[in-house]
Amino acid sequence: MPKNMPKPSEAATRAWTSIMRARERLLAAIEAELKAAGMPPLAWYDVLWELARADDGRLRPYEIEERTLLAQYNLSRLIDRLEGEGLVRREVFAEDGRGRWVVITEAGRQLRERMWAVYARSIESHIGCRLTQSEAKTLAGLLDRFL
């Protein structure tokens, strides 16, 4: 590293470490609770949620990628799985047949709602009950600076 390269402060390094540890622990806990309830992984929820809140329940694959944290190659496989389970369907939208919509089905909407019941309890038990409303708002505001 060049000598004039700025180094993060000890506080910034600690903040980074805490953010990453908290992220890993919270995701692991939520994934475990979804699994214990017989639900699929959180990535399924993320895709179904984005589709459910989109106009007409449809998005193009790149739009799903932009709205989630999934890499394109992982997203393609996940959409294949969701389609195989009847939770989404693909529809052609371009006249040349190359463009595709991913559309949530009624089964996909129902699964997302069942997953939300578990997910919401997890958010409350791992985050909501540990922070006051004011602390939660402050934390969200601080983290929004990175988005």
Side-chain angles (χ1 to χ4, degrees), residues 17-46:
T17 303
S18 294
I19 289 168
M20 296 310 294
R21 284 183 180 154
R23 177 188 182 278
E24 292 303 314
R25 288 183 185 159
L26 291 168
L27 282 175
I30 290 169
E31 289 283 12
E33 290 176 9
L34 285 169
K35 186 175 183 175
M39 297 291 169
L42 191 54
W44 288 40
Y45 180 88
D46 291 344

Side-chain angles (χ1 to χ4, degrees), residues 32-85:
E33 290 176 9
L34 285 169
K35 186 175 183 175
M39 297 291 169
L42 191 54
W44 288 40
Y45 180 88
D46 291 344
V47 171
L48 294 172
W49 169 242
E50 292 302 337
L51 289 168
R53 66 192 201 117
D55 291 338
D56 299 326
R58 67 180 65 209
L59 293 168
R60 291 181 282 188
Y62 83 86
E63 293 172 314
I64 298 170
E65 184 181 352
E66 288 175 350
R67 295 174 188 205
T68 65
L69 298 175
L70 300 168
Q72 191 277 326
Y73 59 89
N74 289 333
L75 181 60
S76 294
R77 287 195 309 250
L78 177 53
I79 292 171
D80 289 344
R81 293 270 327 264
L82 294 172
E83 187 175 36
E85 295 289 329

